[in-house]
Amino acid sequence: MIRLNGINRNFTVGDQIVHALKDVDLAIAAGEYVSVMGPSGSGKSTLLNTISLLDRPSFGNYELNGKNVTDLSDQELARVRRENIGFVFQFFHLIARLTAAENIEMPLILAGVDRNQRTQRVEQAIAAYGLGNRADHRPDQLSGGQRQRVAIARATIMRPGIILADEPTGNLDRHSGIEIVDLLERLNRDGVTLLVVTHDPALGKRAARRITMVDGAIVSDSLAGSTD
Amino acid sequence: MRAADVLLLVAKSIRAQRLRSALILIAMAIGVAAVIVLAALGEGARRYITGEFSALGTNLIFILPGRSETTGGQPPLLGETPRDLTLDDALALLRSPYIANVAPVVIGSAPVSGGQRERESNIMGSTSDLLAVRHLNLAQGRFLPEIPAQRALPVCVIGQTVRNELFGSRPVLGQWLRIGDRRFRVIGVLASEGQSVGVDFDEVVIVPVASAQALFDSPALFRILVETKSRGATMPAIEDINRTIEERHEGENDVTVITQDSVVHTFDVILTKVTLGIAGIAAISLAVSGTLIMNVMLVSVSQRTAEIGLLKAIGAASAQLKILFLAEAALLSLTGAAAGLAGGYAGALAVARLYPAFPITVPGWSPLAALATALATGLLFGVLPAARAAKLDPVEALARR
C-alpha cells in the first residue's frame, strides 16, 4: 500500500546541502505494524513527513494504494491525507480553544461532512476512547494521556488506513504511555497500518517490523523473530 | 468545508482572542462611525442651504436690470444700463403662456411713523402677486388688493418688527402709517418669516408698486420676480422674457435673468461634492483600521503556526486555510462596521437633538459605502496574512511545540 522508490530529500542549509533521505526504497503492506528508529537527525521524521505527504521528496517516486502521489496538487494532497492518513504527535497538537469533542470533529469539518453525521461519529469516538465525561473539556483541562486519546480519536475519525505516530509516548508518563500504545496496537489489530517513529527501543521492539535509519538511509529492516 | 462551519470556526477563533478582536472592532467601528457622522453633517449642510433657497418659492425667475458683459472697455457690472426696468415691462411678461405670476419689486428706504413713534424702514413696492411668488404668510388682515399695477392705493402690509416697534401690542389693523410725506392704512401684518436669503420680511413695509414709485419718484423697478407655471416651463419662460425685453428695449436685451433652480442646483452640486470629500477623508481612517487588522492578523498567524500546521496535517488544503483567515478578517471588519453604523447613527441622532434646526440626515449611500469600504479593507488587508498562513510549511509548523 505504501511504496517508496528511490526517495531523496535534500535541504539547503546556508550554502550546504543536507541529504535528509538518501535513495530510500520502502514498501509497507496494508495492516503492517512498523517502527522506525534511529538517532536524532537520522531522517526518520523526514521519512514520516514524506509518507504523510506533508513533505515532498526532491527525487523519487511515491505510490499510495497503487496510485502515484508524488506530483499531486495541494488540493489533492489535502484530500489524500484526509482520507488515508491519521496523525498522532508527541505534543498532541490539539487546538487549545476547542473542546475535546470539537478537536475530534475538525477533520470531519474540513472534509465537509454534514452536521448530523459529524455529531454521531464524534459521539461514537468519544465513547470508544473512554472520553465520555471529558468531551466538553478543553485540552488544558485534560491529562496528558487524555489529550493523546483525543488526538487518536481525531486521527481515526476519518477511518484512515494508515496511522502515523511520531513519538506518541514521548511526552507521557509510563502508565499513560502503555495505555496509548495499547490503543494504537488495538487499531493495528483491526487492520490499520501503524507506523511509529520513536527512539525509545522498548516501544520500537513492540512492532512486528522494525526499521532503523542512520544518516538518511535505512540500515536495517527486520521482522520480529528474525535475528538482529 | 461548509460555509456555516467556516463561520462557526471563525467565530470561535474570534471569541478566543478577545483583546485582539476588541481592538480591531473598535478601530473599525470608529472609522465607520466617522464616515457616517461626517457624511450626515455634510448632507445636513446641503439640505439646509438648498432648503433656504427653495423656501424662496418654486419655479422662480429673477429679472435684474442691467447685464453683466464680458466684452468691452471698463467693466460695467450689474446695473449699468441706460434703460430702467419698468412696470410696463413687467406687465408685458404676463402675456407669455409659461408665466403664472409676475411681481414687480421696488425697494427703497424711508422714515415710517405710526402713533407717536418713527423709525427708518425698508419699503417694498409690489403687487398682490408677491404673496404667491414669495410664499409669504399673513399673521393678520389681508395682503395687497388685486388692483391694476399702475394704480396707487394708500394701503400697506407690515412686518412683525415694524409692527412691534411702532405699535407695540396695540391693535394695528386700520391704523394709519406715515411713510415719508404720505399716509397709508395698515391692512395686514406678515407672519414672522425670519431671514429669507437677503430680505428680512420682518423689517419691511409693503405698499402697492405704483405708490412706491410715487414715493420714491422713480419709475425704475429694482427687479421683477416671475413664477412660471411649472418647472418644465422655466426654459421657454426665459426665452419669452428675453424676447419681450428685447422688443421693448429697442432690440437690446439689457437684463440679467437668474433662475432659482440654477442657484439651488449649483449649491446642491457643490455641497454634494464637499460631502463626498469629507466622507472620503473619513474613509482614510478605515484604511488605517485596515492596516491594524493586517497587523493583528499577521501576529495571529505567527501565534497560530502550530495550529495551521496541524490543520494541514489533518487534511486542510491551503485554499481552505486561506478561506478561514479571510473569513476571520471579513467577520471582524463587518462586526466592527456594524458597531460603527450603530455609533454613527447614534452620533447623528445626538447632533440632531443638540441642534434641532440643523437638518442632519444620514445620506442613504453612506452606510453602504462605509460597509463596503470596511469589508474591502478587511479582505484586502486579510489577504496577506491568509496567504502567509496558507504558505506555511506544515513540517516546520508542526515542529514547534
Side-chain angles (χ1 to χ4, degrees):
Chain A
M1 101 178 286
I2 295 171
R3 183 178 297 278
L4 302 179
N5 290 319
I7 294 286
N8 279 271
R9 180 69 173 107
N10 303 331
F11 296 103
T12 313
V13 179
D15 51 359
Q16 273 194 313
I17 294 176
V18 178
H19 300 278
L21 294 177
K22 294 180 204 158
D23 294 322
V24 172
D25 298 317
L26 179 65
I28 298 173
E32 275 198 81
Y33 181 7
V34 183
S35 68
V36 179
M37 287 185 288
S40 304
S42 60
K44 51 188 197 304
S45 286
T46 309
L47 180 69
L48 190 80
N49 290 332
T50 305
I51 291 174
S52 65
L53 295 163
L54 286 177
D55 199 11
R56 287 172 195 250
S58 308
F59 314 102
N61 194 42
Y62 175 13
E63 265 180 35
L64 183 65
N65 296 330
K67 198 180 152 210
N68 190 338
V69 291
T70 324
D71 297 311
L72 291 183
S73 71
D74 178 81
Q75 194 91 27
E76 293 165 320
L77 281 178
R79 200 177 49 79
V80 171
R81 263 203 302 272
R82 198 153 65 206
E83 290 169 0
N84 297 291
I85 297 163
F87 267 102
V88 178
F89 303 94
Q90 178 177 1
F91 298 111
F92 321 126
H93 282 302
L94 300 177
I95 298 174
R97 62 171 181 276
L98 302 181
T99 64
E102 287 167 341
N103 267 290
I104 296 170
E105 192 184 6
M106 268 319 279
L108 295 172
I109 292 178
L110 291 171
V113 176
D114 77 65
R115 182 180 290 269
N116 289 338
Q117 214 185 335
R118 280 198 326 243
T119 323
Q120 201 184 336
R121 272 162 81 169
V122 169
E123 270 170 18
Q124 282 169 7
I126 283 171
Y129 290 94
L131 291 162
N133 52 352
R134 287 282 181 269
D136 295 329
H137 288 51
R138 285 177 208 288
D140 55 6
Q141 299 164 317
L142 300 174
S143 72
Q146 286 166 338
R147 286 186 216 183
Q148 199 62 303
R149 270 190 280 156
V150 172
I152 293 174
R154 181 182 62 194
T156 54
I157 195 81
M158 291 290 291
R159 301 180 189 125
I162 305 169
I163 296 283
L164 302 175
D166 190 357
E167 302 281 8
T169 59
N171 229 30
L172 297 176
D173 60 84
R174 219 182 64 84
H175 173 74
S176 309
I178 290 169
E179 198 181 277
I180 292 303
V181 170
D182 209 48
L183 270 177
L184 291 172
E185 289 176 353
R186 204 185 304 161
L187 287 170
N188 176 245
R189 279 197 296 278
D190 291 343
V192 174
T193 310
L194 179 61
L195 191 73
V196 178
V197 169
T198 182
H199 44 233
D200 173 6
L203 178 57
K205 285 211 174 70
R206 297 177 65 93
R209 182 178 172 190
R210 300 152 197 170
I211 292 171
T212 310
M213 292 190 73
V214 174
D215 284 344
I218 293 173
V219 293
S220 89
D221 184 349
S222 61
L223 290 172
S226 66
T227 53
D228 62 311
Chain B
M1 213 168 23
R2 286 148 192 265
D5 293 329
V6 170
L7 273 185
L8 206 71
L9 284 179
V10 165
K12 274 179 196 157
S13 146
I14 288 175
R15 255 211 322 268
Q17 303 171 75
R18 261 166 229 194
L19 182 65
R20 178 205 78 146
S21 305
L23 283 176
I24 291 185
L25 289 185
I26 289 170
M28 214 23 131
I30 288 175
V32 170
V35 171
I36 300 289
V37 170
L38 289 178
L41 286 174
E43 175 73 4
R46 187 185 73 80
R47 290 202 177 193
Y48 178 73
I49 291 174
T50 54
E52 276 290 281
F53 276 92
S54 299
L56 286 178
T58 43
N59 314 329
L60 210 53
I61 298 175
F62 303 82
I63 304 170
L64 283 60
R67 188 169 190 82
S68 45
E69 296 284 353
T70 50
T71 55
Q74 297 118 324
L77 294 173
L78 291 181
E80 296 277 320
T81 174
R83 273 177 298 272
D84 292 323
L85 212 45
T86 65
L87 203 51
D88 289 337
D89 291 338
L91 295 175
L93 296 177
L94 273 174
R95 287 201 293 269
S96 162
Y98 302 106
I99 290 173
N101 290 307
V102 172
V105 172
V106 171
I107 284 200
S109 179
V112 175
S113 57
Q116 306 303 311
R117 302 184 213 171
E118 178 171 303
R119 78 192 295 274
E120 189 79 7
S121 192
N122 291 326
I123 313 299
M124 182 184 259
S126 193
T127 63
S128 55
D129 279 357
L130 184 70
L131 186 72
V133 172
R134 286 300 301 258
H135 295 246
L136 297 174
N137 293 307
L138 285 169
Q140 268 182 289
R142 54 195 174 81
F143 199 65
L144 297 177
E146 289 185 26
I147 51 169
Q150 295 88 342
R151 222 182 112 198
L153 201 70
V155 294
C156 68
V157 176
I158 61 177
Q160 284 289 341
T161 310
V162 176
R163 178 229 147 98
N164 289 339
E165 294 198 357
L166 293 183
F167 296 98
S169 54
R170 284 180 290 139
V172 66
L173 289 184
Q175 298 292 314
W176 287 96
L177 202 67
R178 178 170 285 280
I179 305 175
D181 53 0
R182 287 158 194 267
R183 296 209 309 159
F184 294 84
R185 193 185 282 278
V186 178
I187 57 168
V189 180
L190 291 173
S192 187
E193 305 274 348
Q195 193 91 12
S196 169
V197 193
V199 181
D200 186 349
F201 276 96
D202 289 348
E203 288 271 1
V204 89
V205 176
I206 302 173
V207 299
V209 62
S211 308
Q213 282 174 320
L215 196 61
F216 300 118
D217 195 18
S218 156
L221 295 181
F222 175 66
R223 63 192 50 174
I224 301 172
L225 306 184
V226 173
E227 189 174 31
T228 59
K229 283 187 173 150
S230 69
R231 226 192 182 119
T234 306
M235 289 324 289
I238 290 175
E239 277 168 31
D240 281 358
I241 290 168
N242 285 331
R243 195 169 46 247
T244 309
I245 297 292
E246 225 172 280
E247 279 166 12
R248 299 182 54 83
H249 288 196
E250 292 129 26
E252 205 179 331
N253 181 8
D254 56 356
V255 293
T256 302
V257 177
I258 302 171
T259 66
Q260 184 224 4
D261 256 11
S262 70
V263 175
V264 172
H265 181 71
T266 306
F267 272 100
D268 199 40
V269 168
I270 293 172
L271 289 165
T272 302
K273 286 188 178 155
V274 169
T275 305
L276 284 174
I278 295 172
I281 292 168
I284 292 174
S285 66
L286 282 176
V288 175
S289 321
T291 27
L292 183 71
I293 287 188
M294 174 163 70
N295 222 326
V296 177
M297 291 294 294
L298 280 174
V299 171
S300 166
V301 167
S302 56
Q303 276 174 350
R304 284 149 75 183
T305 304
E307 178 186 327
I308 293 162
L310 169 83
L311 288 176
K312 286 198 164 180
I314 63 177
S318 297
Q320 287 180 310
L321 286 170
K322 224 179 260 181
I323 288 172
L324 280 175
F325 275 85
L326 272 183
E328 191 167 325
L331 193 64
L332 276 172
S333 41
L334 274 186
T335 317
L341 280 185
Y345 274 100
L349 209 67
V351 174
R353 282 271 166 83
L354 285 175
Y355 306 98
F358 186 70
I360 186 164
T361 324
V362 179
W365 53 266
S366 75
L368 294 177
L371 270 180
T373 318
L375 187 60
T377 45
L379 286 178
L380 187 69
F381 291 100
V383 164
L384 183 62
R388 183 169 291 186
K391 267 212 303 265
L392 222 59
D393 178 8
V395 173
E396 246 174 75
L398 282 169
R400 300 207 205 168
R401 290 189 52 170

